[in-house]
Amino acid sequence: MLNYIWGGLVLLSVGSALLFGNGDALGSAIVESGADAVQLLLTLAGVMALWSGMMKIAEESGLTKILARMFAPVLRLLFPRLPPDGEAFGCITMNITANLLGLGNTATPLGIQAMRALDKLNGGSDIASDEMVIFVVINTASLQLMPTMLASLRQTAGSAEPFAILAPVWISSACALAVALSIAVGLNRRHRL
Amino acid sequence: MMALVMPLFAAAIVLFGLIRRVAVFDVFIRGAKEGLQALAGIAPTLIGLLFAVGLLRASGAADALCTFVAPAAERLGFPPEIIPMALLRPVSGSGSTALLLSVFDECGPDSFAGQVASVLAGASETTFYAITLYFGAIRVKHIRHTMLAAIAADLTAWVMSVVTVRLFFF
């Protein structure tokens, strides 16, 4: 999909540069955009290394596990039919906690493991179970306590208050999650009746 | 006040690590290495997309597209500058990051468009990527109402990003 989007963008740009007579600007943009991108990557490198390192400490010190235990009762309400001590529920709580902390690299393998466990409970069927729908929907709504990456990008761009967006982000993602879950749970129930 | 959020968050993690007798610096180095590897992985994507976005803006095509969709977007109160980012967000994480940065570049991170773009980036996910990845991993073909619920979440994030930014800043 990105192949067509990217190819389309390049062709569209060259086409419209010819149309609008912006050939000169395009010529310098070709050289500059590469340099700008590398500049940006250098800034990102520092930020990503720093926060990945911090989050690794959070993980190894057991902070993630403590948080997972705190969230478990809430998640029980969404997955009442899963065995509470089973692999599926364990992976689900760990995946969601990792997402909350912004540990994308940790969350994805845990999520796939959770899906495999749910698949086993579902008898390897090629139709998604209720739990799968709810779990994937939670993963498509972004719930993050500290959007450190986003704040760092804002700071790099010269924002006076990089963290000012914290409350709006929380409210917006909570609403998005609430809508997605009501639809998922509502339709799950209707299909069961 | 808000400037202290990140340093305090970092300090809390380090303190907890020390209390739990974690070799904090060694672990930090390991994590930082993973972060750099992840960045090296997305670097070519980011360069390629920033290149395309740079061309699009220099050629005048971006302006032309904006004037085309601006009236409809403005009617809905949605800043037209962030439409490309909003559309790419469900498909590609690094791609939408590139477009988020170009919004910052063009309008400034504290402008209305910059704030809405930030909130949208923080409140939505790479929906289609996640769905393909998770269901693909276990070869489930019939995903029932997953897509409907996920798209509803994205649309809610679009609306709420504008609503909350208006409420908090403008």
Side-chain angles (χ1 to χ4, degrees):
Chain A
M1 181 138 161
L2 266 180
N3 291 321
Y4 290 108
I5 297 178
W6 189 78
L9 283 178
V10 173
L11 293 182
L12 178 73
S13 305
V14 176
S16 36
L18 294 175
L19 190 70
F20 301 129
N22 286 336
D24 291 345
L26 197 69
S28 50
I30 282 193
V31 183
E32 279 162 22
S33 63
D36 286 351
V38 173
Q39 188 75 43
L40 167 76
L41 281 169
L42 285 177
T43 318
L44 280 181
V47 175
M48 273 190 82
L50 174 72
W51 285 108
S52 309
M54 284 296 167
M55 287 319 202
K56 195 83 185 169
I57 299 177
E59 206 183 327
E60 301 241 326
S61 62
L63 196 60
T64 324
K65 281 216 177 81
I66 293 175
L67 284 174
R69 226 170 293 148
M70 280 167 54
F71 295 135
V74 183
L75 291 173
R76 287 274 356 128
L77 300 175
L78 288 172
F79 302 98
R81 294 193 302 172
L82 290 182
D85 301 319
E87 188 197 1
F89 189 67
C91 288
I92 288 173
T93 42
M94 286 303 289
N95 162 276
I96 289 168
T97 314
N99 271 325
L100 275 167
L101 290 175
L103 295 161
N105 291 335
T106 312
T108 308
L110 281 167
I112 290 175
Q113 210 182 326
M115 286 302 274
R116 293 224 173 94
L118 288 175
D119 190 36
K120 237 179 268 165
L121 294 174
N122 197 26
S125 161
D126 64 355
I127 301 170
S129 66
D130 289 359
E131 284 79 16
M132 288 179 194
V133 174
I134 292 176
F135 176 64
V136 172
V137 160
I138 295 175
N139 261 280
T140 63
S142 143
L143 205 54
Q144 201 182 331
L145 293 176
M146 280 291 155
T148 47
M149 195 66 200
L150 179 63
S152 307
L153 290 176
R154 287 171 54 77
Q155 190 149 28
T156 311
S159 167
E161 280 186 293
F163 258 111
I165 41 94
L166 202 55
V169 167
W170 285 344
I171 296 172
S172 302
S173 45
C175 289
L177 185 63
V179 167
L181 279 179
S182 339
I183 292 178
V185 173
L187 289 183
N188 275 350
R189 203 158 287 162
R190 206 189 70 191
H191 282 283
R192 225 177 290 148
L193 288 176
Chain B
M1 182 53 212
M2 284 310 250
L4 279 174
V5 170
M6 272 210 279
L8 285 178
F9 184 52
I13 291 173
V14 173
L15 180 68
F16 190 79
L18 286 172
I19 292 172
R20 285 297 188 98
R21 297 184 185 283
V22 171
V24 281
F25 191 59
D26 294 342
V27 173
F28 175 86
I29 300 292
R30 235 185 315 133
K33 196 173 165 191
E34 279 175 23
L36 287 180
Q37 278 162 351
L39 183 73
I42 63 164
T45 319
L46 216 53
I47 292 177
L49 282 161
L50 282 171
F51 165 72
V53 173
L55 288 192
L56 200 67
R57 274 166 58 187
S59 69
D63 291 338
L65 281 178
C66 263
T67 44
F68 190 65
V69 293
E74 259 157 31
R75 246 228 177 103
L76 298 166
F78 202 73
E81 297 88 348
I82 71 169
I83 287 173
M85 186 213 126
L87 291 177
L88 197 61
R89 178 71 193 157
V91 189
S92 159
S94 44
S96 59
T97 303
L99 294 181
L100 172 69
L101 291 163
S102 83
V103 172
F104 287 170
D105 212 25
E106 205 177 345
C107 317
D110 296 329
S111 65
F112 179 60
Q115 304 272 35
V116 175
S118 303
V119 175
L120 187 56
S124 59
E125 255 298 330
T126 48
T127 307
F128 296 124
Y129 172 75
I131 290 177
T132 324
L133 180 75
Y134 283 146
F135 281 118
I138 54 169
R139 289 193 202 85
V140 161
K141 284 184 197 78
H142 191 55
I143 63 168
R144 296 167 61 205
H145 43 277
T146 309
M147 198 58 98
L148 178 70
I151 289 174
D154 281 347
L155 290 177
T156 312
W158 285 28
V159 174
M160 286 310 292
S161 61
V162 174
V163 171
T164 51
V165 167
R166 273 198 198 286
L167 215 64
F168 278 81
F169 306 109
F170 291 94

